[in-house]
């Protein structure tokens, strides 16, 4: 059975003006374009949204504008990412007030954390809200991986609704999918690993949260539809197209992390005329000069840019 949360749910980038304010007209073009391309939901204030660089006021404005622009057309998931539980709950309160369909939280971080703290954290979030809570499993940023056994324990008890897996650990994801299926599928499972979505679908994923989908969601939408039909040849073909486009994140030189990945997404969107600037949040550098041309070359190679 298909749940409310399924399919292609891109983590929407946050277009900024040159003075680093939310560029609302660009945001409108981006969100409307994603919905027109057939996405099944929107994830706002995730890593691709530069959430770690936004203050609370900016988070609220980004989320409120996303809510207004979306206007109930697809489910809206809000990232409530912060270091510790009470801070996360304060973001949940903001998301509730704005009106979202689910919240997405990482394990707590900064303070030294073990599995007892992780479990207590998600139980506290569940107690604090009636909204579905999704685990954002991203150990590279929070320095702990939420293990399969704990994920399933929380899922069976209704503490969490699902998981966005950005661990890059495909073996663990397959184990999670198998355990979830054996338990009657209490969790909705999403991969955030853009270039191996086909493998995640073979494992039994419910969908994908692809940062690359900001640039072009059509491959991911076609892949998901083919998956639902059991058309694995089309799944493979569309994944290959997405993998070729994903080379934009490897094109920039002299930058690392989000400055390269999200920076490439924003640069591509600027080149495609969707957003006005590719400005990044402080302290990340914005791609310029040869790096912009390197991204443009990939776009031309895959046929997105003349």
């Amino acid at each position: 059975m298909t749940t409310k949360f399924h399919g292609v749910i891109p983590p929407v980038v946050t277009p900024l003006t040159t003075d680093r304010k939310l560029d609302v007209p660009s945001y409108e073009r981006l969100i409307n374009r994603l919905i027109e391309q057939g996405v099944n939901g929107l994830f706002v204030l995730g890593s691709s949204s530069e959430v770690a660089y936004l203050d609370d006021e900016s988070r609220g404005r980004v989320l409120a504008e996303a809510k207004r622009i979306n206007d109930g057309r697809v489910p809206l998931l809000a990232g409530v990412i912060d270091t510790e539980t009470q801070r996360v709950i304060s973001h949940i309160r903001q998301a509730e007030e704005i009106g979202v369909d689910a919240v997405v939280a990482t394990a707590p971080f900064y303070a030294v954390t073990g599995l007892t703290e992780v479990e207590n954290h998600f139980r506290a979030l569940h107690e604090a809200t009636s909204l579905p809570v999704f685990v954002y499993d991203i150990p590279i940023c929070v320095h702990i991986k939420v293990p399969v056994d704990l994920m399933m324990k929380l899922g069976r008890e209704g503490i969490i609704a699902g998981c966005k897996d950005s661990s890059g650990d495909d073996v663990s994801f397959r184990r999670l999918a198998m355990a979830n299926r054996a338990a009657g599928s209490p969790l909705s499972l999403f991969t955030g690993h853009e270039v191996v979505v086909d493998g995640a679908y073979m494992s039994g994923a419910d969908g994908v949260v692809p940062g690359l989908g900001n640039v072009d969601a059509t491959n991911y939408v076609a892949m998901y539809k083919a998956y639902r039909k059991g058309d694995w040849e089309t799944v493979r073909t569309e994944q290959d197209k997405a993998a070729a486009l994903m080379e934009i994140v490897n094109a920039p030189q002299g930058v690392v992390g989000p400055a390269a990945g999200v920076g490439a997404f924003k640069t591509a969107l600027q080149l495609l005329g969707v957003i006005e600037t590719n400005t990044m949040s402080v302290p990340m550098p914005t791609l310029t000069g040869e790096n912009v041309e390197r991204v443009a070359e990939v776009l031309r190679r895959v046929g997105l840019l003349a």
Side-chain angles (χ1 to χ4, degrees), residues 148-161:
V148 171
D149 290 348
L150 178 56
M151 201 90 72
M152 291 309 308
K153 178 182 180 182
L154 297 174
R156 283 191 299 267
E157 294 182 27
I159 304 301
I160 61 172

Side-chain angles (χ1 to χ4, degrees), residues 145-203:
K145 175 125 180 40
V146 183
V148 171
D149 290 348
L150 178 56
M151 201 90 72
M152 291 309 308
K153 178 182 180 182
L154 297 174
R156 283 191 299 267
E157 294 182 27
I159 304 301
I160 61 172
C163 171
K164 186 233 174 175
D165 187 293
S166 292
S167 67
D169 186 342
D170 296 327
V171 174
S172 178
F173 187 84
R174 190 173 191 90
R175 291 183 63 237
L176 177 60
M178 291 172 64
N180 189 49
R181 188 162 54 249
S185 300
L187 299 175
S188 296
L189 302 181
F190 292 84
T191 179
H193 204 176
E194 288 101 333
V195 296
V196 290
V197 181
D198 50 354
Y201 284 154
M202 291 185 75
S203 296

Side-chain angles (χ1 to χ4, degrees), residues 252-253 255 259 263 267 270 278 285-295:
Q253 297 180 8
V255 290
T267 299
Q270 181 187 32
N278 64 340
T286 297
L287 299 186
T288 59
E290 286 299 314
N291 277 334
V292 173
E293 176 54 32
R294 291 183 183 102
V295 172

